[in-house]
Amino acid sequence: IIDLDVHQGNGTASIFKNNSNVFTLSFHGQKNYPFRKENSDLDFGFDDFTNDDFYLKKLKEIIPRTIDRFEPDFIFYLAGVDVLENDKLGRLSMTIKGCLERDKFILNSCKKNNIPVQISMGGGYSINIEEIIEAHTNTFRFDRPALFASCELAPENKFRGLNPSQSCNSSHVDSRRSAPGSRTSSCSGGKQARHRLSWASYMLNSKKSSLRP
């Protein structure tokens, strides 16, 4: 589990603390909630106002080493966007560009090592709703051809044609070892996550959207 939400992944750390088959990794704000942290298999707490350069430096040092050591069969990736500078609850100082670079590095690491990955959306409490949408959309926009190609396998989950009043049936991406580059989508997550992705998908595909790939 790679949890990059700004709040520590205390839930998964607690649930799997006695399970040697699951490795829990959390990058989070050291002084942010929860104030009493659980012990993940690997925790890295960032100081307030940490910027792109330091965050990405640590990410690129720690993730490859962890993958090599644990050799995971599957990765659950929580792509929290509450790391952004304008986030009301985040306390870090990352940019949209830095957040995208983070996602690209994680997904490229999965691809390089031929590891299936499931992506969960997390966080997003910016005063600017467009910033939240753009950050979430960038996670999927990065690998857009593979993501939308998967809709051929599950036509009912196609994003195209969504409007903001519809809910989306996809909140994760599953890349399979048996078919490198292939993705399938299925329904999971709560109402809020579905609506967020519905909005993000709509804006990504809208001809009038200013959020271009």
Side-chain angles (χ1 to χ4, degrees):
I1 297 172
I2 298 178
D3 188 334
L4 302 189
D5 188 273
V6 80
H7 305 101
Q8 193 216 21
N10 58 325
T12 51
S14 177
I15 291 168
F16 296 110
K17 63 183 178 182
N18 296 317
N19 189 334
S20 61
N21 292 317
V22 179
F23 189 95
T24 55
L25 179 152
S26 177
F27 276 22
H28 49 265
Q30 183 60 38
K31 297 179 181 178
N32 213 322
Y33 178 87
F35 303 112
R36 194 175 92 179
K37 307 287 194 289
E38 297 288 341
N39 292 318
S40 307
D41 291 302
L42 195 159
D43 284 302
F44 194 93
F46 291 97
D47 291 334
D48 289 357
F49 311 114
T50 293
N51 61 17
D52 291 348
D53 290 342
F54 185 76
Y55 187 102
L56 294 172
K57 178 177 182 290
K58 289 302 176 182
L59 184 82
K60 293 175 182 180
E61 287 176 0
I62 293 172
I63 296 299
R65 189 168 65 228
T66 302
I67 289 176
D68 288 344
R69 181 160 63 94
F70 189 71
E71 298 182 342
D73 295 314
F74 195 98
I75 287 178
F76 290 89
Y77 173 42
L78 179 55
V81 302
D82 44 8
V83 295
L84 295 173
E85 184 174 17
N86 288 332
D87 196 275
K88 293 183 291 185
L89 304 178
R91 302 176 68 159
L92 300 188
S93 295
M94 292 190 70
T95 65
I96 290 284
K97 182 179 179 181
C99 198
L100 174 59
E101 182 63 27
R102 176 201 68 177
D103 292 343
K104 288 172 65 175
F105 186 79
I106 295 297
L107 296 179
N108 277 331
S109 296
C110 293
K111 183 176 181 180
K112 175 183 175 182
N113 291 280
N114 204 27
I115 302 171
V117 58
Q118 181 266 341
I119 305 172
S120 295
M121 299 159 65
Y125 314 99
S126 172
I127 56 176
N128 185 344
I129 186 66
E130 288 80 9
E131 184 176 70
I132 299 173
I133 293 171
E134 183 173 4
H136 277 309
T137 304
N138 277 343
T139 306
F140 298 93
R141 179 187 286 143
F142 162 64
D143 205 7
R144 188 183 181 193
L147 178 63
F148 282 102
S150 72
C151 292
E152 295 177 4
L153 300 177
E156 71 279 7
N157 289 334
K158 286 188 178 181
F159 293 155
R160 290 180 174 82
L162 282 176
N163 63 59
S165 65
Q166 293 175 305
S167 63
C168 180
N169 288 329
S170 174
S171 61
H172 78 265
V173 180
D174 174 13
S175 99
R176 303 186 184 278
R177 291 190 182 198
S178 58
S182 171
R183 303 286 195 276
T184 61
S185 301
S186 66
C187 181
S188 67
K191 182 177 181 181
Q192 184 180 26
R194 291 198 299 272
H195 280 293
R196 277 185 179 173
L197 190 52
S198 168
W199 265 102
S201 303
Y202 170 75
M203 296 191 75
L204 178 61
N205 290 287
S206 172
K207 292 181 180 179
K208 296 181 180 180
S209 174
S210 61
L211 305 178
R212 294 298 181 190

